[in-house]
Amino acid sequence: MSDINLIEVPKWGLSMEEGTITKWLVDEGAGFRKGDAICEVETSKITNEMEAPFDGVLRRILAKPGETLPVGAPMAVSADAGVPDSAIEEFLAANGSPAPEPVAAKSVSPTTAVAVPAPVPTPGTTVIPDSLAGSTNDDVFATPHALKLATKLRVDLGKVTGTGRIGRVSVADVHAAIRAAGGIVAEPVAPQRKTTPPQSTQDDSGVNATPVARRLAASLGINLHDCRATGARGRVCVADVREAERKFLPTAEPEVRETAPAAPEFETVPLDSMRKAIGRRLQSSKQNSPHFRLTADLEIDALLTLRKQINATVPAVKLSVNDFIVKACAATLRKVPDVNVQFDEESQAVLRYSAADISVAVALPAGLITPIVRGADTKSLADISGEVHSLVTKAKTGRLKPEEIQGGTFTVSNLGMFGVREFDAIINPPQAAILAVGSGEQRPFVDDGQVIARTVLTVTLSCDHRVIDGALGATFLRELKRFVESPALMLV
């Protein structure tokens, strides 16, 4: 018999832990060739088409659009058209993957049908059908309340269909599944109301109280024996009567009620997978990498003059200041190779690279992504400009490939276009340094006793002190300053 193969969630990058199937590009029963796009998978950073790892026929789709699965989880089954459905179901059972329910139940002969008595529950209890009984795996996507309820009732949430965002299972889904399977969900027990304590009935004319408190108690029907005496000389005062009123007459309105300020309106926006991944990675970087920062001012008048000349004379080339910064960083990494590194946490080793692969931070509505200009030290300014423009366009349209965001030896984050003068950036692990670039602005400088205006931008280098020392970081900024202030050095 022909082989039956599983199609599993791919692993695109070291940080990828799960993927969401957004669309199937091949229908059940259709054939495909190795390398064909069969589905779209969304990760924390990109949405990419998954290519078929082999030739086959898509016999069974296990993951519906919108489902989020861990890396390596089965998404579908491939087998030749001649393989019977029963063989596929046996294969799924042997591999721990549930077979989908048949479309229509097979008819049962009246002579062989066995009547199953309906469960007779005890009033106020929940009856769990055998089809839902079991324990829940750790990879089930459910709310904390649903997980707690499933543990209490011993329900397998893997058998419950979630209707929440991207298939999240809620308490309502658990209750609906129990009822649909023939079980019973106990009605919630109404909370018991507090009973009002009995009031005293004895004569209170002898109780020591102020005249005003006595008149108030009489009007409210409060017995002075039920009031604490906290007034002067041990007398019952008005405040004591009011306290007894709140105790024995809970429905009564207080004498003076201040209007509570209305709660401010707000909208709850849950974190998407991309924002969660950014948070995890940068929090880990901030906690594990001992950051230190070095700041330098770079004069860019000569760079701006060269940029204007190139843009005016070279057709189809429109260089930006950021293109020059990327090229200058790549050239500097060639001069200071000990900054062109990654730090391997597991082996506690430094990985020094020969090529300068510059990650360029791109802001998206959902978060930050860093596509990579590979071998920027060997490319011209025009090549870098075209590649950066292409990568930014792909990032904004969600068409980046996994290899275009994985790796990198150094990152440039430029907020100058937003008018930010200077800022600090968090290192993008496993890299060891990131350059934060501010906006260029004219500042006064004293030259030979004369105050003149020069265009200056401020850069801040964040370094991982486990790998880069202060002197090494300062050497990098010195060389970077030389390339930026003498931009002709980048052309030779």
Side-chain angles (χ1 to χ4, degrees):
M1 183 176 61
S2 302
D3 290 338
I4 303 175
N5 298 306
L6 287 175
I7 299 175
E8 301 174 339
V9 177
K11 184 173 181 62
W12 293 329
L14 297 176
S15 61
M16 179 177 174
E17 298 178 354
E18 61 184 17
T20 301
I21 291 78
T22 59
K23 181 180 180 181
W24 281 98
L25 305 177
V26 178
D27 296 329
E28 284 190 354
F32 55 84
R33 305 286 295 177
K34 181 179 180 180
D36 289 349
I38 57 175
C39 67
E40 291 182 356
V41 179
E42 178 185 355
T43 70
S44 59
K45 294 184 177 181
I46 60 173
T47 298
N48 200 34
E49 293 181 348
M50 176 184 170
E51 297 180 353
F54 44 73
D55 299 344
V57 177
L58 190 64
R59 292 293 304 277
R60 191 73 55 85
I61 293 178
L62 304 177
K64 304 300 182 184
E67 290 189 31
T68 300
L69 301 174
V71 169
M75 298 189 300
V77 178
S78 169
D80 291 342
V83 177
D85 291 340
S86 58
I88 294 178
E89 293 174 3
E90 292 176 2
F91 175 82
L92 290 173
N95 285 271
S97 301
E101 296 181 359
V103 176
K106 295 182 179 179
S107 60
V108 181
S109 172
T111 58
T112 59
V114 179
V116 179
V120 181
T122 304
T125 61
T126 297
V127 177
I128 306 301
D130 292 339
S131 58
L132 295 179
S135 58
T136 300
N137 296 329
D138 294 337
D139 57 354
V140 171
F141 188 42
T143 66
H145 293 293
L147 290 171
K148 184 177 180 180
L149 179 64
T151 302
K152 177 182 177 182
L153 300 178
R154 297 182 180 178
V155 171
D156 182 4
L157 291 185
K159 302 175 182 178
V160 177
T161 301
T163 61
R165 187 173 180 269
I166 62 174
R168 196 177 194 187
V169 178
S170 65
V171 171
D173 295 329
V174 177
H175 288 166
I178 293 174
R179 294 189 181 100
I184 297 176
V185 178
E187 293 297 328
V189 180
Q192 297 293 330
R193 292 184 175 271
K194 292 183 177 180
T195 57
T196 303
Q199 293 182 254
S200 300
T201 57
Q202 62 191 106
D203 182 20
D204 61 355
S205 59
V207 176
N208 188 12
T210 66
V212 176
R214 188 176 296 279
R215 288 196 299 271
L216 178 62
S219 66
L220 296 175
I222 299 294
N223 192 300
L224 291 177
H225 284 288
D226 296 325
C227 301
R228 296 176 57 194
T230 62
R233 296 188 297 277
R235 295 193 298 177
V236 175
C237 61
V238 172
D240 300 328
V241 177
R242 288 298 184 190
E243 178 64 28
E245 177 190 12
R246 287 189 289 271
K247 179 179 179 182
F248 293 99
L249 306 175
T251 58
E253 293 291 330
E255 184 179 22
V256 179
R257 178 181 294 273
E258 296 183 358
T259 302
E265 295 184 359
F266 63 92
E267 178 185 3
T268 301
V269 181
L271 295 180
D272 57 22
S273 56
M274 182 176 184
R275 178 56 63 185
K276 289 179 181 178
I278 292 173
R280 288 194 301 267
R281 287 177 57 80
L282 294 187
Q283 182 180 28
S284 175
S285 174
K286 193 69 174 176
Q287 291 175 338
N288 297 331
S289 303
H291 285 57
F292 76 91
R293 298 163 184 85
L294 301 170
T295 302
D297 291 331
L298 311 180
E299 298 178 19
I300 60 171
D301 290 294
L303 184 151
L304 293 176
T305 301
L306 178 60
R307 170 178 175 261
K308 183 178 180 180
Q309 181 182 2
I310 293 176
N311 288 345
T313 57
V314 181
V317 172
K318 295 298 178 183
L319 301 179
S320 67
V321 173
N322 196 62
D323 297 332
F324 280 90
I325 296 297
V326 172
K327 177 63 177 178
C329 288
T332 304
L333 291 173
R334 290 291 297 270
K335 289 287 185 179
V336 191
D338 287 338
V339 179
N340 194 39
V341 296
Q342 292 182 356
F343 182 68
D344 189 346
E345 292 273 3
E346 293 186 4
S347 63
Q348 292 291 295
V350 178
L351 310 179
R352 186 184 294 112
Y353 290 83
S354 57
D357 296 336
I358 307 294
S359 301
V360 180
V362 178
L364 302 177
L368 192 69
I369 196 167
T370 52
I372 302 166
V373 180
R374 304 282 181 184
D377 53 318
T378 62
K379 295 178 178 177
S380 66
L381 283 164
D383 292 337
I384 290 175
S385 177
E387 189 165 342
V388 169
H389 182 268
S390 174
L391 290 171
V392 170
T393 301
K394 288 182 178 181
K396 292 182 177 180
T397 56
R399 294 186 294 107
L400 282 172
K401 297 180 179 179
E403 59 269 18
E404 291 175 323
I405 60 173
Q406 295 172 8
T409 58
F410 188 86
T411 297
V412 173
S413 180
N414 192 341
L415 294 179
M417 66 288 295
F418 297 101
V420 176
R421 177 169 179 167
E422 62 178 292
F423 67 101
D424 297 338
I426 299 177
I427 298 169
N428 182 23
Q431 298 173 15
I434 183 172
L435 186 73
V437 183
S439 61
E441 59 183 7
Q442 287 199 330
R443 304 178 195 172
F445 269 77
V446 178
D447 186 7
D448 195 19
Q450 300 293 322
V451 177
I452 59 175
R454 292 181 179 172
T455 308
V456 178
L457 62 79
T458 300
V459 296
T460 301
L461 181 69
S462 299
C463 304
D464 185 344
H465 218 322
R466 297 174 299 180
V467 180
I468 301 174
D469 293 328
L472 179 59
T475 301
F476 178 90
L477 284 182
R478 183 187 65 193
E479 291 296 320
L480 178 67
K481 183 179 180 71
R482 187 170 69 91
F483 279 110
V484 170
E485 296 183 352
S486 302
L489 294 174
M490 291 184 273
L491 304 180
V492 297

